[in-house]
Amino acid sequence: MFKTRKNEPQYAKLWDKETKKNNVYGDSIETVTKDDIRREVSLNINGDGEIGDNPNRYKQHGFYFNADNCIGCHACESACSEKNDVPSHLAFRSVGFVEGGSFPNYQRLNISMACNHCDDPVCLKGCPTRAYTKFAEYGAVLQDPDICFGCGYCTWVCPYNAPQLDPVEGVVSKCNMCVDRLEVGLKPVCVAACLGNALDFGVIDNVPENREQAKTNIPGFPTTDITHPNIRFQQTKDTQRDMTRPDGMPIKYHKTDEGEFRSMLDNKKHSHQKHWGLDKLFASHENAHAIFTICAQAVMGATMWVMALDLLGLVERPSIFVLSVLLVLLGHGLFTLNMHLGKPQFFYRGFYNLRHSPVSREIAGVSLFFMGLMAMLVVQILSLDFLLPMAYGVAFFGLVLGSYYMMKLYLIPARAFWNHWQTGTAFYGTMLSLGGLLFAVLLSVFGANPKVLSFVAVVAVVGLVLESIGLVAHKKANQKTGEGQAADFEQTTTFGKTERLRYTLLGVNVLLMFALMFNPNLWLLGIGFLSVLTSVYLGRILFYAVVIPTTMPGAFFWKNDQFKAHAIESGLSDMPQMGVMPQRHHKFDVKALIEVIKQTTLKDAFAQIKSIVNGG
């Protein structure tokens, strides 16, 4: 149990006496009923089996932030980092700011933010490894880095930057509400360290003494309807009509006539000139996702052709060659995705949260599809034709499940650019166009039936048209949210030339498919396949590169993607005080592995190999 000091100051102690029954969202503040089995259970903090005597132990707690008082000293950050031994390139609590006006009427609004321990934590539902738990004690959302395998999906779905993916260790960690201090009646260390009395803490919706407001919103804070966050604000000072971010994100916050702030595009952050941006696209950490989704969708589409033409009797049973190539491609996609994890050796933990996580369900579906495809190959090799329908059934069920949740996991409210049905048209359009062409190319190795090529071209046109319709609708939908506008702005400026090339290729591909439809020959097939593949790849890497999440504002240096890129390029990232660390955990150093084997004993080699694989 946490040891308190004899002279603990009064401001560091919890003050709640009377509490409300429900919070502003209508959710119960009491986390569990009085007869619930989760009561009177020790949190086993540092192996201690004692139970805290806090009278409000089973009520939802939360932070209170008074923006009028915050001076941006970062004492809360420092205290949190010291207590939790947080590395310099991470911060469980961070202070960002928005600013408005110009001299002499310039205004800066600081915002100190950590995990909000939400009523409906999307990080918990999204995590495939079940590393998150919402505890009955204090309503704390806690995360176990030892269970996490570093997929980073929780960092996608959280609107508040709370989960922190360590690029060195390859795992996520976050604010733990200082439950060890709560157990003995003390406030979290960030609150106790606040110099300006801007931070407070207690049972949610209890307004601290000498405070006037308990609002759920503040300029720069994302919408609360995604997760029902447990933080309340005071901000009595009037602000400018437009408050901008000091970081590189092209977002500002506009005050409506009702006094509420809404995010909108800030197109003054950088030039409107169009660029290729290929260096940023190909260096993206999410390229592994692009490769996996393209491989999986192409193989799924090709497999559909294999099964359909066989069942219709238009071609002979699927050839061993075709199935082997499809298995290799899907295996390559799965391997690339797995090595993208912070701890790829724990890939099996991805099945832990089938009940809630779309990531777990996608993994289960794609794995089932892979098994079905492998069964189809084994059936062909051993000529076990009576088992082919069963193999088809397994592959088809896995295909449906995997492809649906492959799309579903990107429909994230915190990422407006993805949260649109165009994600589905892009993914399924790839299955129809690239998948069919992949099948036709493989079939043509032994001489393709012209009728089959024509059929493939017809379906490919449907896929390309489907994707085009989605893109047109997506352009309009992006204008409804500030983050959507900003993402579209990035796509048309930073990556403007690449976007134009992609749209041009879409039109060219439709014409090529019409030509193949009426003149089925191998030259048109080969050109069409390469053109569609290029178009799909450009579209997919743009999909990952331009998305802008509903995150909290950063500072001029901290949590600023443009400064991070500059620091990595210039070498500033090697200075720990910069708080910048490039993604390193997913890189596998083959040369270092060979050197280890040459210079060490077998026993030592295995130990060091394990360290290299883990990113050490």
Side-chain angles (χ1 to χ4, degrees):
M1 191 66 69
F2 186 86
K3 301 300 181 184
T4 59
R5 299 175 296 179
K6 292 182 180 180
N7 60 342
E8 195 73 51
Q10 191 64 32
Y11 61 77
K13 297 178 181 179
L14 289 169
W15 47 267
D16 300 283
K17 294 181 180 179
E18 296 181 0
T19 62
K20 301 176 182 179
K21 290 185 178 180
N22 297 305
N23 62 19
V24 294
Y25 309 118
D27 302 325
S28 175
I29 290 177
E30 196 82 20
T31 56
V32 290
T33 58
K34 293 183 178 180
D35 57 347
D36 196 285
I37 60 172
R38 288 170 287 181
R39 280 182 174 267
E40 305 308 322
V41 176
S42 174
L43 288 172
N44 289 307
I45 298 170
N46 296 327
D48 193 318
E50 291 187 42
I51 299 175
D53 57 1
N54 189 325
N56 293 318
R57 194 170 190 252
Y58 301 101
K59 293 180 180 178
Q60 178 68 58
H61 284 59
F63 290 99
Y64 184 95
F65 178 67
N66 185 351
D68 299 332
N69 285 20
C70 182
I71 60 175
C73 66
H74 300 265
C76 54
E77 282 185 22
S78 300
C80 174
S81 295
E82 182 180 1
K83 177 181 182 295
N84 296 293
D85 196 22
V86 181
S88 59
H89 54 278
L90 300 179
F92 292 171
R93 174 172 289 280
S94 59
V95 179
F97 61 92
V98 292
E99 55 190 359
S102 58
F103 181 82
N105 192 26
Y106 166 81
Q107 184 178 27
R108 171 171 166 173
L109 183 68
N110 298 309
I111 306 173
S112 176
M113 187 60 53
C115 177
N116 296 313
H117 302 276
C118 307
D119 289 347
D120 185 20
V122 289
C123 55
L124 183 151
K125 292 182 177 179
C127 176
T129 66
R130 294 179 65 184
Y132 287 84
T133 304
K134 186 167 178 66
F135 278 74
E137 292 82 4
Y138 314 106
V141 178
L142 305 184
Q143 190 264 1
D144 188 347
D146 291 335
I147 298 175
C148 172
F149 64 3
C151 71
Y153 188 68
C154 56
T155 67
W156 286 3
V157 298
C158 175
Y160 313 111
N161 300 115
Q164 301 285 300
L165 177 59
D166 190 333
V168 178
E169 297 298 326
V171 295
V172 170
S173 52
K174 61 177 280 294
C175 160
N176 55 28
M177 202 191 256
C178 286
V179 289
D180 52 344
R181 292 175 59 89
L182 303 185
E183 286 283 78
V184 295
L186 296 179
K187 297 175 183 177
V189 68
C190 57
V191 177
C194 180
L195 299 179
N197 196 20
L199 277 174
D200 215 323
F201 186 85
V203 177
I204 198 64
D205 283 321
N206 275 10
V207 182
E209 294 177 351
N210 303 318
R211 297 292 185 263
E212 305 172 17
Q213 301 174 336
K215 302 191 298 183
T216 59
N217 209 342
I218 195 173
F221 191 72
T223 178
T224 61
D225 57 5
I226 299 175
T227 64
H228 288 183
N230 286 303
I231 185 171
R232 302 294 180 263
F233 301 101
Q234 175 167 316
Q235 184 227 330
T236 59
K237 298 177 181 178
D238 195 23
T239 58
Q240 300 290 334
R241 188 79 169 179
D242 289 309
M243 302 294 286
T244 62
R245 301 169 62 116
D247 54 26
M249 193 174 292
I251 292 284
K252 64 181 178 180
Y253 304 96
H254 179 75
K255 186 191 295 185
T256 64
D257 293 337
E258 293 76 25
E260 296 292 326
F261 278 86
R262 296 286 183 267
S263 63
M264 61 183 298
L265 171 66
D266 182 2
N267 59 11
K268 298 179 181 180
K269 283 290 177 70
H270 59 72
S271 169
H272 290 230
Q273 187 176 353
K274 298 183 184 298
H275 302 277
W276 286 103
L278 294 178
D279 54 335
K280 296 179 181 179
L281 290 176
F282 295 138
S284 171
H285 180 58
E286 310 304 343
N287 249 336
H289 289 284
I291 293 171
F292 164 71
T293 54
I294 292 172
C295 285
Q297 290 156 16
V299 172
M300 286 175 175
T303 304
M304 289 290 291
W305 277 99
V306 169
M307 293 189 291
L309 294 183
D310 178 28
L311 294 174
L312 292 173
L314 297 179
V315 296
E316 297 180 1
R317 291 292 172 91
S319 73
I320 294 175
F321 169 75
V322 171
L323 294 176
S324 298
V325 173
L326 294 181
L327 267 174
V328 169
L329 284 175
L330 183 57
H332 172 68
L334 287 168
F335 177 78
T336 302
L337 185 66
N338 186 64
M339 293 309 295
H340 169 270
L341 298 176
K343 292 187 175 180
Q345 68 272 31
F346 297 124
F347 68 92
Y348 56 87
R349 293 177 181 173
F351 297 98
Y352 283 5
N353 197 10
L354 290 170
R355 182 178 180 184
H356 294 296
S357 175
V359 180
S360 287
R361 295 174 181 179
E362 179 216 31
I363 294 171
V366 175
S367 298
L368 194 64
F369 171 63
F370 185 84
M371 292 169 58
L373 196 59
M374 185 177 293
M376 290 166 59
L377 177 60
V378 172
V379 165
Q380 287 301 102
I381 293 174
L382 301 179
S383 299
L384 302 174
D385 291 352
F386 67 97
L387 291 177
L388 193 58
M390 184 181 298
Y392 278 179
V394 173
F396 182 75
F397 181 73
L399 185 154
V400 172
L401 186 69
S403 63
Y404 174 75
Y405 283 105
M406 193 183 299
M407 170 198 70
K408 184 73 173 177
L409 70 86
Y410 291 100
L411 301 182
I412 301 171
R415 299 196 167 213
F417 188 77
W418 290 352
N419 193 32
H420 186 266
W421 54 265
Q422 183 268 336
T423 298
T425 60
F427 284 15
Y428 285 104
T430 298
M431 286 177 59
L432 293 175
S433 58
L434 187 61
L437 290 170
L438 173 63
F439 169 74
V441 167
L442 295 177
L443 200 65
S444 299
V445 173
F446 303 105
N449 186 330
K451 290 184 178 180
V452 172
L453 294 184
S454 295
F455 288 149
V456 166
V458 171
V459 175
V461 168
V462 173
L464 293 170
V465 170
L466 183 67
E467 184 175 359
S468 301
I469 292 172
L471 287 171
V472 172
H474 192 218
K475 277 282 185 182
K476 294 181 180 179
N478 284 335
Q479 305 309 310
K480 296 180 180 179
T481 64
E483 288 74 21
Q485 293 173 18
D488 192 63
F489 176 68
E490 285 292 320
Q491 186 171 236
T492 56
T493 55
T494 306
F495 309 102
K497 293 183 178 180
T498 303
E499 181 194 35
R500 279 186 175 179
L501 175 60
R502 181 204 179 189
Y503 292 156
T504 301
L505 285 176
L506 268 176
V508 170
N509 292 339
V510 172
L511 296 177
L512 284 172
M513 291 305 102
F514 272 113
L516 183 62
M517 195 186 309
F518 297 105
N519 183 21
N521 65 74
L522 297 184
W523 279 104
L524 277 176
L525 174 62
I527 295 171
F529 173 74
L530 292 176
S531 182
V532 170
L533 177 60
T534 304
S535 173
V536 168
Y537 182 66
L538 291 177
R540 198 58 50 87
I541 56 178
L542 282 170
F543 176 81
Y544 289 104
V546 305
V547 63
I548 291 181
T550 57
T551 54
M552 296 301 302
F556 188 77
F557 295 105
W558 181 245
K559 292 189 180 297
N560 188 335
D561 288 340
Q562 290 189 5
F563 173 74
K564 178 179 177 180
H566 166 70
I568 294 172
E569 291 172 2
S570 62
L572 285 173
S573 60
D574 295 329
M575 303 171 64
Q577 60 266 38
M578 291 292 101
V580 173
M581 187 69 67
Q583 296 285 357
R584 291 172 179 165
H585 68 266
H586 63 289
K587 294 183 178 179
F588 189 85
D589 194 339
V590 178
K591 292 183 179 179
L593 179 62
I594 295 173
E595 195 63 28
V596 164
I597 296 173
K598 284 181 178 179
Q599 298 182 4
T600 62
T601 64
L602 187 61
K603 182 178 179 180
D604 291 338
F606 278 119
Q608 293 190 42
I609 289 169
K610 183 178 180 181
S611 174
I612 292 171
V613 172
N614 291 341

